Amino acid sequence: MTTKALDPVRVQASARQVSLSRVTYVELGKMFDTRSGFWLMSSIVIAALLSTVATILFAPDAELTFYTFAEAIGFPMTVILPIIALLSITSEWTQRSGLTTFTLVPHRNWVILAKVIASVAVGVVSMLVALAIGVVGNLVGTAITRTDRVWDVSVAHFLLIVLGSLLCLLTGTTFGILFRSTPVALVAYFVYSLVLPTLFGILASSQERFLELQPWVDASNAQAPLFDGSIAGDQWAHLAATAVAWLLLPALVGLRLIARSEVR
Amino acid sequence: MITVDSLSKKYGGRTVVDNISFTARAGRVTGFLGPNGAGKSTSMRMMVGLTRPNSGNATISGRRFADLPNPGLEVGVMLDASAQHAGRTGREVLTLAQQMIGLPTRRVEEALDLVSLTETDANRRVGGYSLGMRQRLGIAVALIGRPSVLILDEPANGLDPAGIRWMRDLLRDYADDGGTVLLSSHLLHEIEVIADDIVMIGGGRIVSQGSLAELLRAAGSIVRAQDPDALERALSGSGFVTTRSEDGSLRSDADPTTVGLVARESYLALIELRTAEGGLEDVFLQLTSDTEREGRAA
Ligand SMILES: Nc1ncnc2c1ncn2[C@@H]1O[C@H](COP(=O)(O)OP(=O)(O)OP(=O)(O)O)[C@@H](O)[C@H]1O
Ligand SMILES: [Mg+2]
């Protein structure tokens, strides 16, 4: 065993300061380098492939259009992306790696911002991969069924779908920031994404007064027109309102809690 | 240099760290000692910004931890070796630190070498590491940027005898090269062998600080006199506590110099006079016992 300490480092001038781009690069790597991270990332591609195959096999020939593929691929994406984003935040606390992270980068907001940027990058790249798989699916599917190829998703529509998926992803981030614990944040997220829409539905059908309020508070309702590409007018206002209520405000509260909390 | 200035921390009204101030100097190993729950870890966490103090502050080479442009180059921190993502390999953990600090890639291998983690160990997931292996990895993460200040919470924990020896030599070299080393420990013998300075904390308060030599002097003395009764009277007359053992020797809480002076004043002849043995352990138990009892009563 050697007790000779490492040589003094001569770091480049650019390295003397921890920069946001470096933190982002490292945080991006951290999303892949664990087993769970790796499989979550892989599951995006796997789910997209499975959805494509299932669409070819089971969708009625008449409905074998590009939008059907996009819809089938997009749904698992809106489930997996938020989980990836959520875990990247909560694992610092639940896996306790934050002890090292936050002593190497004392500015906790930087770390969180870097994670948000890295998550969004992963989200955008996933969407492009999904787009490619969808295109291939439509080409192959229609070739097999010998039906006409229908490209019924415009660029604008695709961008709306990306926006919708990123909003889903960022909700995962928000829940991670707010709860800082993998199990708690996951449960909260599933309540939000699975239980709440049903609850709002029941409320809306039983309480007349809630019917008017619903568009302003029901996030999944507000996001739906993004995915079918039909968003217009007031719906943008509903989208903005629900984003402030479910994304922005909780994230700001969570960031404040993170700044004051102990990392242990 | 680490400067701690009037740091205090309360948890739900209970003061766990109570207005502590001390300096860990460059070129010296400072041992941070105290019984369980004394507030050592809490103090160290406040030094590196993981816990917000209720009052006071700590600086590293004159700057607050949060103001360091690239902390990994200046302060090596190991607070809890098991705090790593169980799903990463040792090499991945080190690589993340290397990238975050902006070091050349070869540093990873050098750091692994330094702490004797083998190729196979490095490629295994941390979740499967033994306590000692985690400790080594934690030390590697702390050392990878070759910082001039080290803050280590119980670094010897879980190391085998060879590992403890290696660590002692490593820290000694670090201090001799002008580094500042602050380490906490329960292993009094370890501290006694390695530390130059001691900061002793009990119940959140500093009960003693100074060089190890000074502290050991406070262990008191063993003295034998021709007329033990007279010496006992003279010492208690000067306000010192003495106890007599069966062989007729007295044990006093005064240091040998003081005992000698007291004896001369009373014209008493001494047969033997020396520092009480037991060393750091006795001092430790004696100084921290008061706070222990307070703690229990509360
Ligand atoms: N988050 C917390 N909430 C409440 N009390 C806490 C918290 N963290 C520490 N404490 C209390 O603060 C006191 C000091 O704890 P600390 O971990 O600093 O002690 P220590 O000197 O490191 O002990 P040990 O030698 O056992 O590691 C303990 O009584 C502990 O219960
Ligand atoms: Mg401790």
mmCIF file with all atom_site columns, all heavy atoms in Angstrom, chain B residues 231-250:
data_model
loop_
_atom_site.group_PDB
_atom_site.id
_atom_site.type_symbol
_atom_site.label_atom_id
_atom_site.label_alt_id
_atom_site.label_comp_id
_atom_site.label_asym_id
_atom_site.label_entity_id
_atom_site.label_seq_id
_atom_site.pdbx_PDB_ins_code
_atom_site.Cartn_x
_atom_site.Cartn_y
_atom_site.Cartn_z
_atom_site.occupancy
_atom_site.B_iso_or_equiv
_atom_site.pdbx_formal_charge
_atom_site.auth_seq_id
_atom_site.auth_comp_id
_atom_site.auth_asym_id
_atom_site.auth_atom_id
_atom_site.pdbx_PDB_model_num
ATOM 1   N N   . LEU B 1 231 ? 1.408   15.430 52.452 1.00 0.00 ? 231 LEU B N   1
ATOM 2   C CA  . LEU B 1 231 ? 1.283   15.860 51.054 1.00 0.00 ? 231 LEU B CA  1
ATOM 3   C C   . LEU B 1 231 ? -0.189  15.965 50.652 1.00 0.00 ? 231 LEU B C   1
ATOM 4   O O   . LEU B 1 231 ? -0.602  16.889 49.952 1.00 0.00 ? 231 LEU B O   1
ATOM 5   C CB  . LEU B 1 231 ? 2.024   14.897 50.131 1.00 0.00 ? 231 LEU B CB  1
ATOM 6   C CG  . LEU B 1 231 ? 1.986   15.286 48.649 1.00 0.00 ? 231 LEU B CG  1
ATOM 7   C CD1 . LEU B 1 231 ? 2.690   16.623 48.411 1.00 0.00 ? 231 LEU B CD1 1
ATOM 8   C CD2 . LEU B 1 231 ? 2.606   14.207 47.779 1.00 0.00 ? 231 LEU B CD2 1
ATOM 9   N N   . GLU B 1 232 ? -0.960  14.992 51.146 1.00 0.00 ? 232 GLU B N   1
ATOM 10  C CA  . GLU B 1 232 ? -2.384  14.999 50.816 1.00 0.00 ? 232 GLU B CA  1
ATOM 11  C C   . GLU B 1 232 ? -3.035  16.279 51.346 1.00 0.00 ? 232 GLU B C   1
ATOM 12  O O   . GLU B 1 232 ? -3.815  16.934 50.653 1.00 0.00 ? 232 GLU B O   1
ATOM 13  C CB  . GLU B 1 232 ? -3.054  13.759 51.430 1.00 0.00 ? 232 GLU B CB  1
ATOM 14  C CG  . GLU B 1 232 ? -4.408  13.470 50.805 1.00 0.00 ? 232 GLU B CG  1
ATOM 15  C CD  . GLU B 1 232 ? -4.964  12.094 51.186 1.00 0.00 ? 232 GLU B CD  1
ATOM 16  O OE1 . GLU B 1 232 ? -4.287  11.354 51.924 1.00 0.00 ? 232 GLU B OE1 1
ATOM 17  O OE2 . GLU B 1 232 ? -6.066  11.786 50.733 1.00 0.00 ? 232 GLU B OE2 1
ATOM 18  N N   . ARG B 1 233 ? -2.650  16.634 52.597 1.00 0.00 ? 233 ARG B N   1
ATOM 19  C CA  . ARG B 1 233 ? -3.184  17.861 53.198 1.00 0.00 ? 233 ARG B CA  1
ATOM 20  C C   . ARG B 1 233 ? -2.752  19.087 52.393 1.00 0.00 ? 233 ARG B C   1
ATOM 21  O O   . ARG B 1 233 ? -3.550  19.973 52.105 1.00 0.00 ? 233 ARG B O   1
ATOM 22  C CB  . ARG B 1 233 ? -2.690  17.989 54.650 1.00 0.00 ? 233 ARG B CB  1
ATOM 23  C CG  . ARG B 1 233 ? -3.543  17.239 55.657 1.00 0.00 ? 233 ARG B CG  1
ATOM 24  C CD  . ARG B 1 233 ? -3.255  17.711 57.087 1.00 0.00 ? 233 ARG B CD  1
ATOM 25  N NE  . ARG B 1 233 ? -1.841  17.596 57.476 1.00 0.00 ? 233 ARG B NE  1
ATOM 26  C CZ  . ARG B 1 233 ? -1.273  16.483 57.939 1.00 0.00 ? 233 ARG B CZ  1
ATOM 27  N NH1 . ARG B 1 233 ? -1.991  15.372 58.078 1.00 0.00 ? 233 ARG B NH1 1
ATOM 28  N NH2 . ARG B 1 233 ? 0.010   16.465 58.273 1.00 0.00 ? 233 ARG B NH2 1
ATOM 29  N N   . ALA B 1 234 ? -1.470  19.094 52.039 1.00 0.00 ? 234 ALA B N   1
ATOM 30  C CA  . ALA B 1 234 ? -0.950  20.253 51.305 1.00 0.00 ? 234 ALA B CA  1
ATOM 31  C C   . ALA B 1 234 ? -1.657  20.408 49.967 1.00 0.00 ? 234 ALA B C   1
ATOM 32  O O   . ALA B 1 234 ? -2.034  21.519 49.572 1.00 0.00 ? 234 ALA B O   1
ATOM 33  C CB  . ALA B 1 234 ? 0.561   20.101 51.091 1.00 0.00 ? 234 ALA B CB  1
ATOM 34  N N   . LEU B 1 235 ? -1.864  19.294 49.263 1.00 0.00 ? 235 LEU B N   1
ATOM 35  C CA  . LEU B 1 235 ? -2.503  19.361 47.937 1.00 0.00 ? 235 LEU B CA  1
ATOM 36  C C   . LEU B 1 235 ? -3.962  19.774 48.033 1.00 0.00 ? 235 LEU B C   1
ATOM 37  O O   . LEU B 1 235 ? -4.431  20.636 47.280 1.00 0.00 ? 235 LEU B O   1
ATOM 38  C CB  . LEU B 1 235 ? -2.380  18.007 47.218 1.00 0.00 ? 235 LEU B CB  1
ATOM 39  C CG  . LEU B 1 235 ? -1.028  17.735 46.568 1.00 0.00 ? 235 LEU B CG  1
ATOM 40  C CD1 . LEU B 1 235 ? -0.929  16.291 46.105 1.00 0.00 ? 235 LEU B CD1 1
ATOM 41  C CD2 . LEU B 1 235 ? -0.772  18.679 45.398 1.00 0.00 ? 235 LEU B CD2 1
ATOM 42  N N   . SER B 1 236 ? -4.682  19.190 49.005 1.00 0.00 ? 236 SER B N   1
ATOM 43  C CA  . SER B 1 236 ? -6.098  19.562 49.099 1.00 0.00 ? 236 SER B CA  1
ATOM 44  C C   . SER B 1 236 ? -6.213  20.991 49.615 1.00 0.00 ? 236 SER B C   1
ATOM 45  O O   . SER B 1 236 ? -7.150  21.702 49.254 1.00 0.00 ? 236 SER B O   1
ATOM 46  C CB  . SER B 1 236 ? -6.885  18.571 49.950 1.00 0.00 ? 236 SER B CB  1
ATOM 47  O OG  . SER B 1 236 ? -6.279  18.427 51.212 1.00 0.00 ? 236 SER B OG  1
ATOM 48  N N   . GLY B 1 237 ? -5.219  21.414 50.424 1.00 0.00 ? 237 GLY B N   1
ATOM 49  C CA  . GLY B 1 237 ? -5.192  22.807 50.864 1.00 0.00 ? 237 GLY B CA  1
ATOM 50  C C   . GLY B 1 237 ? -5.060  23.751 49.674 1.00 0.00 ? 237 GLY B C   1
ATOM 51  O O   . GLY B 1 237 ? -5.555  24.875 49.694 1.00 0.00 ? 237 GLY B O   1
ATOM 52  N N   . SER B 1 238 ? -4.384  23.307 48.614 1.00 0.00 ? 238 SER B N   1
ATOM 53  C CA  . SER B 1 238 ? -4.228  24.140 47.416 1.00 0.00 ? 238 SER B CA  1
ATOM 54  C C   . SER B 1 238 ? -5.367  23.926 46.424 1.00 0.00 ? 238 SER B C   1
ATOM 55  O O   . SER B 1 238 ? -5.304  24.409 45.296 1.00 0.00 ? 238 SER B O   1
ATOM 56  C CB  . SER B 1 238 ? -2.900  23.827 46.719 1.00 0.00 ? 238 SER B CB  1
ATOM 57  O OG  . SER B 1 238 ? -1.837  23.927 47.636 1.00 0.00 ? 238 SER B OG  1
ATOM 58  N N   . GLY B 1 239 ? -6.348  23.136 46.842 1.00 0.00 ? 239 GLY B N   1
ATOM 59  C CA  . GLY B 1 239 ? -7.531  22.984 46.000 1.00 0.00 ? 239 GLY B CA  1
ATOM 60  C C   . GLY B 1 239 ? -7.475  21.826 45.017 1.00 0.00 ? 239 GLY B C   1
ATOM 61  O O   . GLY B 1 239 ? -8.271  21.771 44.079 1.00 0.00 ? 239 GLY B O   1
ATOM 62  N N   . PHE B 1 240 ? -6.548  20.898 45.175 1.00 0.00 ? 240 PHE B N   1
ATOM 63  C CA  . PHE B 1 240 ? -6.485  19.764 44.249 1.00 0.00 ? 240 PHE B CA  1
ATOM 64  C C   . PHE B 1 240 ? -7.100  18.521 44.879 1.00 0.00 ? 240 PHE B C   1
ATOM 65  O O   . PHE B 1 240 ? -7.089  18.350 46.094 1.00 0.00 ? 240 PHE B O   1
ATOM 66  C CB  . PHE B 1 240 ? -5.027  19.468 43.855 1.00 0.00 ? 240 PHE B CB  1
ATOM 67  C CG  . PHE B 1 240 ? -4.408  20.616 43.116 1.00 0.00 ? 240 PHE B CG  1
ATOM 68  C CD1 . PHE B 1 240 ? -3.423  21.396 43.721 1.00 0.00 ? 240 PHE B CD1 1
ATOM 69  C CD2 . PHE B 1 240 ? -4.833  20.946 41.843 1.00 0.00 ? 240 PHE B CD2 1
ATOM 70  C CE1 . PHE B 1 240 ? -2.880  22.465 43.051 1.00 0.00 ? 240 PHE B CE1 1
ATOM 71  C CE2 . PHE B 1 240 ? -4.283  22.020 41.163 1.00 0.00 ? 240 PHE B CE2 1
ATOM 72  C CZ  . PHE B 1 240 ? -3.296  22.778 41.772 1.00 0.00 ? 240 PHE B CZ  1
ATOM 73  N N   . VAL B 1 241 ? -7.631  17.695 44.036 1.00 0.00 ? 241 VAL B N   1
ATOM 74  C CA  . VAL B 1 241 ? -8.255  16.460 44.503 1.00 0.00 ? 241 VAL B CA  1
ATOM 75  C C   . VAL B 1 241 ? -7.213  15.350 44.479 1.00 0.00 ? 241 VAL B C   1
ATOM 76  O O   . VAL B 1 241 ? -6.530  15.158 43.481 1.00 0.00 ? 241 VAL B O   1
ATOM 77  C CB  . VAL B 1 241 ? -9.442  16.070 43.604 1.00 0.00 ? 241 VAL B CB  1
ATOM 78  C CG1 . VAL B 1 241 ? -10.111 14.809 44.129 1.00 0.00 ? 241 VAL B CG1 1
ATOM 79  C CG2 . VAL B 1 241 ? -10.429 17.220 43.499 1.00 0.00 ? 241 VAL B CG2 1
ATOM 80  N N   . THR B 1 242 ? -7.078  14.654 45.563 1.00 0.00 ? 242 THR B N   1
ATOM 81  C CA  . THR B 1 242 ? -6.130  13.536 45.587 1.00 0.00 ? 242 THR B CA  1
ATOM 82  C C   . THR B 1 242 ? -6.825  12.284 46.088 1.00 0.00 ? 242 THR B C   1
ATOM 83  O O   . THR B 1 242 ? -7.768  12.348 46.871 1.00 0.00 ? 242 THR B O   1
ATOM 84  C CB  . THR B 1 242 ? -4.933  13.817 46.517 1.00 0.00 ? 242 THR B CB  1
ATOM 85  O OG1 . THR B 1 242 ? -5.447  14.307 47.747 1.00 0.00 ? 242 THR B OG1 1
ATOM 86  C CG2 . THR B 1 242 ? -3.971  14.786 45.913 1.00 0.00 ? 242 THR B CG2 1
ATOM 87  N N   . THR B 1 243 ? -6.340  11.186 45.595 1.00 0.00 ? 243 THR B N   1
ATOM 88  C CA  . THR B 1 243 ? -6.833  9.908  46.109 1.00 0.00 ? 243 THR B CA  1
ATOM 89  C C   . THR B 1 243 ? -5.622  9.058  46.446 1.00 0.00 ? 243 THR B C   1
ATOM 90  O O   . THR B 1 243 ? -4.584  9.149  45.784 1.00 0.00 ? 243 THR B O   1
ATOM 91  C CB  . THR B 1 243 ? -7.692  9.181  45.064 1.00 0.00 ? 243 THR B CB  1
ATOM 92  O OG1 . THR B 1 243 ? -6.990  9.205  43.816 1.00 0.00 ? 243 THR B OG1 1
ATOM 93  C CG2 . THR B 1 243 ? -9.051  9.810  44.895 1.00 0.00 ? 243 THR B CG2 1
ATOM 94  N N   . ARG B 1 244 ? -5.764  8.243  47.469 1.00 0.00 ? 244 ARG B N   1
ATOM 95  C CA  . ARG B 1 244 ? -4.641  7.421  47.925 1.00 0.00 ? 244 ARG B CA  1
ATOM 96  C C   . ARG B 1 244 ? -4.875  5.984  47.486 1.00 0.00 ? 244 ARG B C   1
ATOM 97  O O   . ARG B 1 244 ? -5.974  5.471  47.610 1.00 0.00 ? 244 ARG B O   1
ATOM 98  C CB  . ARG B 1 244 ? -4.582  7.501  49.452 1.00 0.00 ? 244 ARG B CB  1
ATOM 99  C CG  . ARG B 1 244 ? -3.550  6.633  50.115 1.00 0.00 ? 244 ARG B CG  1
ATOM 100 C CD  . ARG B 1 244 ? -2.334  7.431  50.562 1.00 0.00 ? 244 ARG B CD  1
ATOM 101 N NE  . ARG B 1 244 ? -2.662  8.367  51.634 1.00 0.00 ? 244 ARG B NE  1
ATOM 102 C CZ  . ARG B 1 244 ? -2.148  8.253  52.871 1.00 0.00 ? 244 ARG B CZ  1
ATOM 103 N NH1 . ARG B 1 244 ? -1.337  7.263  53.169 1.00 0.00 ? 244 ARG B NH1 1
ATOM 104 N NH2 . ARG B 1 244 ? -2.453  9.138  53.787 1.00 0.00 ? 244 ARG B NH2 1
ATOM 105 N N   . SER B 1 245 ? -3.878  5.361  46.921 1.00 0.00 ? 245 SER B N   1
ATOM 106 C CA  . SER B 1 245 ? -4.029  3.941  46.592 1.00 0.00 ? 245 SER B CA  1
ATOM 107 C C   . SER B 1 245 ? -3.311  3.080  47.627 1.00 0.00 ? 245 SER B C   1
ATOM 108 O O   . SER B 1 245 ? -2.581  3.614  48.472 1.00 0.00 ? 245 SER B O   1
ATOM 109 C CB  . SER B 1 245 ? -3.516  3.664  45.185 1.00 0.00 ? 245 SER B CB  1
ATOM 110 O OG  . SER B 1 245 ? -2.239  4.199  45.036 1.00 0.00 ? 245 SER B OG  1
ATOM 111 N N   . GLU B 1 246 ? -3.526  1.757  47.541 1.00 0.00 ? 246 GLU B N   1
ATOM 112 C CA  . GLU B 1 246 ? -3.027  0.861  48.605 1.00 0.00 ? 246 GLU B CA  1
ATOM 113 C C   . GLU B 1 246 ? -1.522  0.948  48.795 1.00 0.00 ? 246 GLU B C   1
ATOM 114 O O   . GLU B 1 246 ? -1.025  0.881  49.908 1.00 0.00 ? 246 GLU B O   1
ATOM 115 C CB  . GLU B 1 246 ? -3.365  -0.607 48.291 1.00 0.00 ? 246 GLU B CB  1
ATOM 116 C CG  . GLU B 1 246 ? -4.833  -0.929 48.257 1.00 0.00 ? 246 GLU B CG  1
ATOM 117 C CD  . GLU B 1 246 ? -5.274  -1.281 46.856 1.00 0.00 ? 246 GLU B CD  1
ATOM 118 O OE1 . GLU B 1 246 ? -4.655  -2.178 46.254 1.00 0.00 ? 246 GLU B OE1 1
ATOM 119 O OE2 . GLU B 1 246 ? -6.216  -0.628 46.366 1.00 0.00 ? 246 GLU B OE2 1
ATOM 120 N N   . ASP B 1 247 ? -0.813  1.131  47.698 1.00 0.00 ? 247 ASP B N   1
ATOM 121 C CA  . ASP B 1 247 ? 0.646   1.148  47.844 1.00 0.00 ? 247 ASP B CA  1
ATOM 122 C C   . ASP B 1 247 ? 1.159   2.466  48.417 1.00 0.00 ? 247 ASP B C   1
ATOM 123 O O   . ASP B 1 247 ? 2.366   2.694  48.487 1.00 0.00 ? 247 ASP B O   1
ATOM 124 C CB  . ASP B 1 247 ? 1.321   0.831  46.504 1.00 0.00 ? 247 ASP B CB  1
ATOM 125 C CG  . ASP B 1 247 ? 1.050   1.918  45.480 1.00 0.00 ? 247 ASP B CG  1
ATOM 126 O OD1 . ASP B 1 247 ? 0.225   2.823  45.771 1.00 0.00 ? 247 ASP B OD1 1
ATOM 127 O OD2 . ASP B 1 247 ? 1.664   1.890  44.412 1.00 0.00 ? 247 ASP B OD2 1
ATOM 128 N N   . GLY B 1 248 ? 0.235   3.334  48.817 1.00 0.00 ? 248 GLY B N   1
ATOM 129 C CA  . GLY B 1 248 ? 0.655   4.556  49.482 1.00 0.00 ? 248 GLY B CA  1
ATOM 130 C C   . GLY B 1 248 ? 0.905   5.715  48.537 1.00 0.00 ? 248 GLY B C   1
ATOM 131 O O   . GLY B 1 248 ? 1.172   6.833  48.974 1.00 0.00 ? 248 GLY B O   1
ATOM 132 N N   . SER B 1 249 ? 0.793   5.471  47.233 1.00 0.00 ? 249 SER B N   1
ATOM 133 C CA  . SER B 1 249 ? 1.005   6.581  46.298 1.00 0.00 ? 249 SER B CA  1
ATOM 134 C C   . SER B 1 249 ? -0.274  7.401  46.202 1.00 0.00 ? 249 SER B C   1
ATOM 135 O O   . SER B 1 249 ? -1.370  6.904  46.459 1.00 0.00 ? 249 SER B O   1
ATOM 136 C CB  . SER B 1 249 ? 1.407   6.050  44.928 1.00 0.00 ? 249 SER B CB  1
ATOM 137 O OG  . SER B 1 249 ? 0.320   5.360  44.368 1.00 0.00 ? 249 SER B OG  1
ATOM 138 N N   . LEU B 1 250 ? -0.117  8.661  45.853 1.00 0.00 ? 250 LEU B N   1
ATOM 139 C CA  . LEU B 1 250 ? -1.263  9.540  45.700 1.00 0.00 ? 250 LEU B CA  1
ATOM 140 C C   . LEU B 1 250 ? -1.463  9.828  44.227 1.00 0.00 ? 250 LEU B C   1
ATOM 141 O O   . LEU B 1 250 ? -0.511  9.935  43.466 1.00 0.00 ? 250 LEU B O   1
ATOM 142 C CB  . LEU B 1 250 ? -1.008  10.875 46.420 1.00 0.00 ? 250 LEU B CB  1
ATOM 143 C CG  . LEU B 1 250 ? -0.819  10.849 47.931 1.00 0.00 ? 250 LEU B CG  1
ATOM 144 C CD1 . LEU B 1 250 ? -0.476  12.243 48.435 1.00 0.00 ? 250 LEU B CD1 1
ATOM 145 C CD2 . LEU B 1 250 ? -2.092  10.354 48.602 1.00 0.00 ? 250 LEU B CD2 1
#
